[in-house]
Amino acid sequence: MPKSSKVTQREHSNEHVTESVADLLALEAPMDYKSSQMSMNRAGGGPPPRGKQPDISPDLEDGRPAWNSKLQYILAQVGFSVGLGNVWRFPYLCQKNGGGAYLVPYFILLILIGIPLFFLELAVGQRIRRGSIGVWNYVCPRLGGIGVSSLMVCGFVGLYYNVIIGWSIFYFFQSFQYPLPWSDCPIRRNGSQAIVEPECEKSSATTYFWYRETLNITSSIADSGGLNLRMTLSLLGAWVIVCLAVIKGIQSSGKVMYFSSLFPYVVLFCFLVRGLFLKGAVDGIAHMFTPKLEIMLEPQVWREAATQVFFALGLGFGGVIAFSSYNKRDNNCHFDAVLVSVINFLTSILATLVVFAVLGFKANIMNEKCVVENAEKILGYLNSNVLSHDLIPPHVNFSHLSSSDYTEMYEVIKIVREDSFAQLGLEQCLLEDELNKAVQGTGLAFIAFTEAMTHFPASPFWSVMFFFMLINLGLGSMIGTMTGITTPILDTFKIRKEILTVACCIVAFLCGLLFVQRSGNYFVTMFDDYSAGLPLTIVVILENVSVAWIYGTKRFMQDLEDMLGFKPYTFYFYLWKYVSPVCLIVLISATVVEMAISPLGYNAWVQDLALERFQSYPPWAVAMCFALIGVAMLPLPLVFLARHFNWLPDGSNKLSVSYRKSLTKDASNLEDETRFILGKNPSEAPSPMPSHRAYLGPGSTSPVELITNSTSISGYGSSYQTNPAPPKSES
């Protein structure tokens, strides 16, 4: 018998065995396995005789779907965590917050917050084998609202996130033409005259195509402008793709992940290789990773790094827990947590290299254009005798004017004509200024990056590849988001997953029509700013507190050792119990302060001026912003009060069939082995001091007490009584 077995631990403990777990389980109301939704469908419906139960895997125990392979599961977690934010948010934050110096606080917070909390979600999902609602009902019934809030945030995010996939689909199909439709401004015919579209001439071809041709945007959120037909069809296509990907659960989404998770890396590497051969790419990368150490000490940098770590791993959404719930219980989820976190971090760095190689090329193009335009101005001033030819250095050749020659000429003219220099309207044309123009989100993907690709040789090919990559990045995240919605519902209600998936997609499409109005982009910004940030942070800190302080870090560490077969590193004990909660409280406080001091508004596109201008939200939109936060957080107090006053069953005794089976099996085996070792009367058996004892922390209870007296995640949920009490917190 293995030394680590529960019987050996019991034999070596100082406690005398008084009753078996099987006797405790006998107190429970019998469960009809045959009629259970998660039954094995065995003939007769009952469990096999004691001692004859096979050692079967959890997925075979309860009929719960399981991943076909470890690779499929890892790709699913990577696809969920690596999303559009890695491509268009991380590079922006890196540029804004000190370049290469930003990687230091990001990596530190990844170690202190990201990996521990990611590991925590993977562990509880894998052990309990339920979605977010079921998991937190078992761990702490009064905080069962955590799972409901998580589900609602998933719903809000999924509504607008799929709109972005719809935009990418539209650009993807528009890329199959040469030249690309956003490469030049449209020409308007006015009788015999041909003039450039004024809105495009004042901005740029890519900016015009985004705001006018794609969104056909209004000038304020109050003016809906009606539905945008092309964007409505694109959104419909996006929901059809998502529905087909998740309609069979992980059986269908797991296969999709083989492509949607790996293809973006192929595209990123292709863009990196191509980008490194572009003129100015090295300038962009050098600018990106030149550390500005003085910025690294600013509190804002650490707050934004913590927020990015938080959302990059998908913490609190429920998708991580849902994916992990389809694993075998002995899967090494600690290895998975570290692996996925490192892959996510390296992907962000790879995407940053690609983005700034391309933006360096674009900055070089724009700088050369600036030099040419201003050189023509200077030539005009020379020909009209506004400027003297003596001001021009003798080595300057206007037909082959370099950036350095123009800068030298600019400085001479500025010094000599200091009084009237502003009237000349000359620009300095510095490459550094172009590189400092920080863009993120849709501005990066649909304006800056598309503009750079128009200068690529074979630009349609690269455009098709880029937007197909965005579609796959978004699809991977949407699969995780939808799984975070459907898994808790399927665990709670008896409903066919196909019917539920189709119903969710139809309802989501109808609700998503809000975002495909002509003013829809403003609502996308609103939902992105207010529907997820604060609610998700509160959800995650409550997850942390419920496990570390209510359930107990010591017991959780023991459960992990029982599940994984080895003792987790001790520093996780202190991270979960002290460091992560403190960091999350600071993050919540900073988020609330930021929301309080920042004006509630959005950047509206002003057609006449062809530029963005900040506008405050009207009163109804302000109410909508607070409603998004309130609705997402409302389940937390409601469930707490309902269970505190016993208006709602705690749900902790509704264990899955697999738990009852596995615990009955463990109990029967334990009883048989105990009788063999201790005899028929366990109280007469000796209790020697243990030669080895699993880690429980100082002042902890014995393994027998964990099994018989506590609400343990080993049995995850109740103490196996009719009305179990919630677990007591540790001192």
Side-chain angles (χ1 to χ4, degrees), residues 496-536:
R496 286 179 59 87
K497 65 170 69 75
E498 294 86 353
I499 296 175
L500 175 64
T501 302
V502 172
C504 286
C505 291
I506 292 174
V507 171
F509 169 71
L510 294 177
C511 294
L513 295 178
L514 172 70
F515 306 102
V516 291
Q517 304 175 98
R518 289 179 58 195
S519 61
N521 188 46
Y522 304 137
F523 289 99
V524 170
T525 302
M526 176 193 292
F527 272 65
D528 190 38
D529 290 341
Y530 296 101
S531 69
L534 184 61
L536 269 187

Side-chain angles (χ1 to χ4, degrees), residues 565-581:
F566 63 87
K567 182 172 70 176
Y569 296 112
T570 307
F571 68 80
Y572 282 115
F573 179 93
Y574 300 101
L575 289 177
W576 282 326
K577 190 152 189 172
Y578 304 110
V579 179
S580 295

Side-chain angles (χ1 to χ4, degrees), residues 459-512:
S459 55
F461 168 78
W462 294 104
S463 184
V464 167
M465 293 281 283
F466 176 71
F467 289 109
F468 195 39
M469 178 190 73
L470 291 188
I471 293 170
N472 280 276
L473 283 173
L475 180 60
S477 297
M478 274 302 299
I479 288 174
T481 302
M482 287 296 292
T483 305
I485 295 172
T486 58
T487 297
I489 297 176
L490 290 171
D491 289 342
T492 307
F493 304 102
K494 293 182 178 180
I495 183 173
R496 286 179 59 87
K497 65 170 69 75
E498 294 86 353
I499 296 175
L500 175 64
T501 302
V502 172
C504 286
C505 291
I506 292 174
V507 171
F509 169 71
L510 294 177
C511 294

Side-chain angles (χ1 to χ4, degrees), residues 597-608:
I597 63 177
S598 300
L600 294 175
Y602 62 102
N603 289 320
W605 178 255
V606 182
Q607 183 174 0
D608 295 336

Side-chain angles (χ1 to χ4, degrees), residues 419-463:
D419 297 335
S420 59
F421 180 78
Q423 300 174 2
L424 298 177
L426 298 177
E427 298 177 57
Q428 196 169 6
C429 297
L430 292 177
L431 182 63
E432 188 77 11
D433 292 341
E434 289 292 337
L435 291 170
N436 282 330
K437 292 180 179 178
V439 287
Q440 64 167 324
T442 54
L444 173 63
F446 298 106
I447 298 177
F449 218 86
T450 52
E451 183 174 354
M453 286 187 295
T454 59
H455 301 287
F456 281 22
S459 55
F461 168 78
W462 294 104
S463 184

